[in-house]
Amino acid sequence: MTDLAPSLPSHCFQWHPDARAFAADAEVFPSPRPDHPRVIAPHPPKSALQNIAAALAANTPFCVTDQAVHDMAALGPTQFATLTGGTSGPPKVIQRSQASWIASFYANAAQFAYEQSDSIAVLGGLGHSLTLYGLLEGLHLGRDVHVLTSLAPAVQATQIHTHRCSIIYATPTQLRVLPPSTQLPDVRLILCGGGALNRTTRQHIATLCPNAALHVFYGAAETSFVTLGGPDTPQGSVGRAYPNVRIDIREPDVAGIGTVWINSPYLSEGYLQGHSPHTQRDGHWITVGEQGRLDAHGNLFLEGRAGRAVTIADDTIHLDALEAQLADMPDMPHFVLMPRADKLRGHHLVAVIEGDAQPALASKINSYCTTNGLHPPRDITFLEQLPLLPSGKPDLHRIASQTGTSA
């Protein structure tokens, strides 16, 4: 493996002399800009890259977002800010040390044997932490990075193929829409975060990138990497602890399900703007309110986020866990489960499915739920396209407003 030691202190991001960055086909160079903003608009990508380059050159804190951030002056030169995904509410601004991400740059380089010839493709907007992470990792370690934000999926695939990108950072949604017509044989590694991958999407990726190792990771903006999954990960699990991460399940019930607490060198420092009632700290440990359990081999199984559990006829249903189970149904389209108030039962479930109406799908879902002991949705609604957040996750609030359900 190539020597990846940085030329700057390990607590500061750098633009490595060997790194190159491209916004589509336009190369961006690491030139200082004394008047660069600390709050960097994510669009257009070329301008965002130029301002990120200036921030790195000046060693100043920054946040890539199109929303107002009022407390940037509170950040020091070794810090920066990023945003939560905003799935269940307005995005919150996270304060981080640059060292918290740099530590995982080197963990990934060791885990996946990064080489000098590797180049990274990122598909989402630079305001999304996964995209920003992939960019900064590549720049810091001296890799070429191709920012393919806002390009049509077919164009993204062509760019990945043309530039022979070997590593992709993406969400499940971003991978799902890449067309299978352009095979990507040079891709050797896919790091996927931001949601569960269903069987159909996994098969699609295997066809699209036949030589790629697919690793799904679980984490949050507040925690960064928590677990890493691979080909040997049991079905339903998000994998085992990422290097140097410790996981503790506190106050477990009889099934071993409790609150997931995390201790690692990758944790954020807190909220710079906004707050979450589910996030708690206990010394060097943090929880974002996720519920889950560990098996005997250290595999983490998640039941769901705090706030996405509903009561139906006195039973607590974790929507995230149920979605993950339903996603494994053969040929299941992209969907999300939403609760709707019910005077008799508290709530009932609505499956909001992307695409044209399929009258036979309701009976298939009910049959699958009966066979697998799952709680079936009572209603099904079809939307031409599920509204998404910039992070690539479903926009639950917009979906709720369109379907008469609750976020």
Side-chain angles (χ1 to χ4, degrees), residues 35 39 49 66 92 108 120 129 179 196 240 260 297 363 373:
D35 59 343
V39 178
L49 271 175
D66 52 12
K92 296 172 282 292
N108 280 343
I120 296 173
S129 61
R240 294 195 290 183
V260 180
H297 302 287
S363 61

Side-chain angles (χ1 to χ4, degrees), residues 47-360:
S47 176
L49 271 175
Q50 290 170 333
N51 284 318
I52 291 170
L56 300 188
N59 197 27
T60 56
F62 62 92
C63 181
V64 182
T65 178
D66 52 12
Q67 72 179 52
V69 180
H70 306 294
D71 300 318
M72 290 297 294
L75 299 184
T78 63
Q79 297 173 307
F80 74 115
T82 185
L83 272 68
T84 61
T87 305
S88 56
K92 296 172 282 292
V93 181
I94 303 291
Q95 176 178 315
R96 278 194 166 275
S97 70
Q98 295 181 22
S100 67
W101 272 15
I102 291 170
S104 56
F105 296 167
Y106 292 103
N108 280 343
Q111 180 88 11
F112 301 113
Y114 282 7
E115 297 287 349
Q116 187 67 38
S117 59
D118 281 322
S119 60
I120 296 173
V122 293
L123 308 185
L126 285 167
H128 180 212
S129 61
L130 176 62
T131 305
L132 183 65
Y133 178 93
L135 167 70
L136 293 173
E137 180 181 87
L139 296 181
H140 194 88
L141 298 181
R143 307 281 78 83
D144 287 356
V145 186
H146 294 266
V147 179
L148 307 181
T149 304
S150 301
L151 300 178
V155 180
Q156 290 181 329
T158 299
Q159 290 277 328
I160 293 168
H161 184 269
T162 299
H163 297 292
R164 304 188 68 179
C165 297
S166 56
I167 299 171
I168 297 176
Y169 273 95
T171 66
T173 299
Q174 290 159 0
L175 293 170
R176 179 176 56 85
V177 298
L178 291 175
S181 55
T182 304
Q183 273 211 335
L184 305 173
D186 294 305
V187 176
R188 71 171 187 87
L189 173 65
I190 298 173
L191 291 164
C192 178
L197 276 177
N198 63 21
R199 182 183 307 171
T200 302
T201 304
R202 286 180 182 273
Q203 292 170 345
H204 170 68
I205 294 168
T207 301
L208 183 69
C209 304
N211 301 318
L214 173 63
H215 291 273
V216 180
F217 63 84
Y218 158 67
E222 294 88 344
T223 62
S224 194
F225 293 102
V226 174
T227 63
L228 187 66
D232 299 327
T233 298
Q235 185 175 359
S237 170
V238 293
R240 294 195 290 183
Y242 184 83
N244 302 312
V245 170
R246 289 189 290 163
I247 301 172
D248 186 29
I249 305 298
R250 299 190 181 179
E251 300 179 352
D253 61 17
V254 293
I257 299 169
T259 303
V260 180
W261 285 80
I262 309 300
N263 180 302
S264 87
Y266 319 118
L267 302 182
S268 67
E269 298 176 333
Y271 294 113
L272 185 67
Q273 194 166 294
H275 74 283
S276 169
H278 307 300
T279 300
Q280 301 176 50
R281 290 184 180 264
D282 179 11
H284 297 293
W285 292 81
I286 186 174
T287 181
V288 293
E290 199 88 52
Q291 300 292 299
R293 63 179 177 86
L294 291 168
D295 70 9
H297 302 287
N299 294 294
L300 179 63
F301 294 78
L302 295 177
E303 291 296 313
R305 290 164 286 168
R308 287 219 81 206
V310 297
T311 301
I312 299 177
D314 298 327
D315 287 335
T316 299
I317 306 297
H318 293 276
L319 299 184
D320 291 333
L322 183 55
E323 283 176 354
Q325 292 169 302
L326 280 177
D328 274 332
M329 178 179 161
D331 301 319
M332 184 66 178
H334 191 39
F335 77 101
V336 65
L337 292 177
M338 304 292 289
R340 181 178 284 153
D342 186 315
K343 291 181 179 180
L344 294 178
R345 298 162 58 84
H347 298 88
H348 65 258
L349 297 184
V350 179
V352 183
I353 297 175
E354 183 175 82
D356 296 331
Q358 302 180 45

Side-chain angles (χ1 to χ4, degrees), residues 356-379:
D356 296 331
Q358 302 180 45
L361 189 56
S363 61
K364 290 181 181 179
I365 292 174
N366 282 329
S367 176
Y368 184 83
C369 289
T370 300
T371 301
N372 292 277
L374 305 177
H375 189 98
R378 195 175 84 179
D379 298 321

